[in-house]
Amino acid sequence: MRRVTWLAAVVCLMALLAPGLARAQAEPARVPAEQLAEAIAAAAPGDTIEVTGGVFHGNLVVDRPLTLVGLDGATLDGDGAGTVLRLEAPDTTVRGFVVQNSGNSLDREDSGIIAAAPRALVEDNRLVNVLFGIYINAAPGSTVRGNTIEGQDLDIARRGDLIRLWDSDDVLIENNTTRRGRDAVLWYSERMTLRGNDFSHGRYGLHFMYCDDAVIEGNRLTNNSVGAYLMYGRRLTLRDNLIAFNRGPSGYGIGLKDMDDVTITGNRFLDNRVGVYNDGSPRELNSTGIIQGNLFAYNDIAIEMLPSVRHNLISDNSFIENEQQVVV
């Protein structure tokens, strides 16, 4: 009986001490940006480092799972060379930093942030004067949320992609804003969601290839040469987006090229050269394209289809003040 009482007392004491021990273990390190590289080198996997202002100069690599939190304008400055921040460990979080001044080499894909391992979380950062912005490269399960990204002041053909997704499944891209980039590139990735983003003043707002089972909803694709060009994918849902003022050399609100089982609903296509341009979608005989419940207003052409287009259902749309409603 005494042994049972003693064990119970030990268990109770450990329960009382556990919250304090957990708080002690979880206490984040706090360093100025100038000491960030040393803090990363000394950190254990799973640690949190709070960066209390200052500027880190150079190229930074995170090689273990960490949470980096920028406070008081903490800044990572690449000084015009290479990639500013590279995440090489899974389950890494970067939040709240100013990331600026990457290199300008397209061949090296100089970027503000590259995530090259699964389940990265990149959120609430401001990227300024970067060639490529946030590059998710073979990093499935990652999230890119709430970032503002401004490209370098270059001719549009020399700019990089301010969001680039490559070979990364199950990614969420949400509530980001991009300005003055080339494209947001989404290639060779499955089950992505793009929600609530604002892509403007680029070449293609979205450049989409070989991606299946994607949802693109609630975004603003405005003032680009092309709002979105969607190619060689299956089972895409495009809903409740604003697609407006896309009037470059192509001037498509969206372009469809060999896309199967696409559903386009509840979007507003306003003042584009062409609202929807369809080239060979769907491509498979057992697939269907649905364009339903959208608003087409003040476009030069609301819907343009090449002669080979077939198996589309176009219904319950509103066509208002377009110069031409449908062109084949």
Side-chain angles (χ1 to χ4, degrees):
M1 179 66 71
R2 281 197 297 269
R3 182 181 179 189
V4 172
T5 304
W6 179 80
L7 286 173
V10 171
V11 170
C12 290
L13 180 60
M14 292 178 65
L16 290 171
L17 291 176
L21 291 172
R23 283 193 295 272
Q25 291 168 355
E27 189 70 23
R30 295 174 67 89
V31 299
E34 292 82 356
Q35 298 175 15
L36 182 52
E38 292 84 353
I40 290 171
D47 279 358
T48 296
I49 301 173
E50 294 182 348
V51 182
T52 57
V55 181
F56 175 88
H57 291 277
N59 308 123
L60 191 64
V61 176
V62 179
D63 60 357
R64 63 204 70 186
L66 298 173
T67 296
L68 306 182
V69 180
L71 305 172
D72 301 322
T75 299
L76 309 178
D77 193 324
D79 291 331
T83 290
V84 183
L85 175 63
R86 184 176 179 89
L87 310 178
E88 295 186 345
D91 302 300
T92 300
T93 295
V94 176
R95 178 188 300 119
F97 287 89
V98 176
V99 179
Q100 62 188 28
N101 300 330
S102 75
N104 62 6
S105 171
L106 289 171
D107 291 341
R108 293 192 300 267
E109 297 177 331
D110 291 340
S111 304
I113 299 173
I114 293 179
R119 299 178 299 281
L121 172 58
V122 181
E123 67 176 351
D124 297 333
N125 302 285
R126 180 169 178 247
L127 285 75
V128 183
N129 193 37
V130 290
L131 185 65
F132 292 81
I134 298 173
Y135 186 177
I136 306 300
N137 184 8
S142 294
T143 297
V144 179
R145 178 190 292 124
N147 303 282
T148 300
I149 313 169
E150 299 176 16
Q152 296 179 342
D153 187 14
L154 298 168
D155 180 78
I156 197 165
R158 279 276 298 118
R159 298 177 194 172
D161 306 315
L162 296 187
I163 291 179
R164 172 173 276 214
L165 180 65
W166 184 273
D167 189 23
S168 299
D169 298 339
D170 303 298
V171 167
L172 172 63
I173 299 174
E174 183 175 47
N175 297 337
N176 302 282
T177 299
T178 68
R179 295 285 184 272
R180 292 189 298 112
R182 183 172 60 184
D183 306 341
V185 162
L186 313 159
W187 287 11
Y188 301 103
S189 303
E190 298 186 358
R191 298 178 300 279
M192 76 177 76
T193 299
L194 289 94
R195 179 188 301 126
N197 302 285
D198 187 341
F199 301 122
S200 73
H201 296 91
R203 185 183 64 168
Y204 293 179
L206 298 176
H207 191 178
F208 179 107
M209 291 181 66
Y210 298 105
C211 297
D212 296 343
D213 301 294
V215 175
I216 302 172
E217 63 180 358
N219 302 283
R220 294 171 55 89
L221 308 171
T222 62
N223 294 288
N224 303 289
S225 177
V226 173
Y229 213 101
L230 312 172
M231 306 170 69
Y232 313 124
R234 294 175 291 182
R235 299 179 298 278
L236 169 77
T237 297
L238 184 84
R239 64 183 173 223
D240 300 333
N241 301 281
L242 173 64
I243 303 169
F245 318 122
N246 298 292
R247 287 189 164 274
S250 297
Y252 306 142
I254 64 167
L256 302 171
K257 171 64 175 173
D258 293 344
M259 293 287 295
D260 290 319
D261 294 317
V262 174
T263 301
I264 300 170
T265 61
N267 302 283
R268 291 164 291 161
F269 295 92
L270 308 178
D271 197 16
N272 305 283
R273 192 185 72 80
V274 179
V276 173
Y277 174 79
N278 190 337
D279 177 5
S281 298
R283 57 182 171 174
E284 296 180 357
L285 289 176
N286 59 349
S287 298
T288 303
I290 297 174
I291 303 175
Q292 196 166 46
N294 303 281
L295 170 64
F296 294 89
Y298 312 111
N299 304 284
D300 295 359
I301 300 170
I303 297 177
E304 182 174 353
M305 296 178 286
L306 296 189
S308 61
V309 170
R310 56 190 175 179
H311 299 293
N312 285 276
L313 170 64
I314 303 173
S315 71
D316 300 299
N317 301 285
S318 295
F319 294 84
I320 300 173
E321 297 289 343
N322 302 289
E323 291 184 23
Q324 293 178 279
Q325 310 292 19
V326 179
V327 170
V328 177

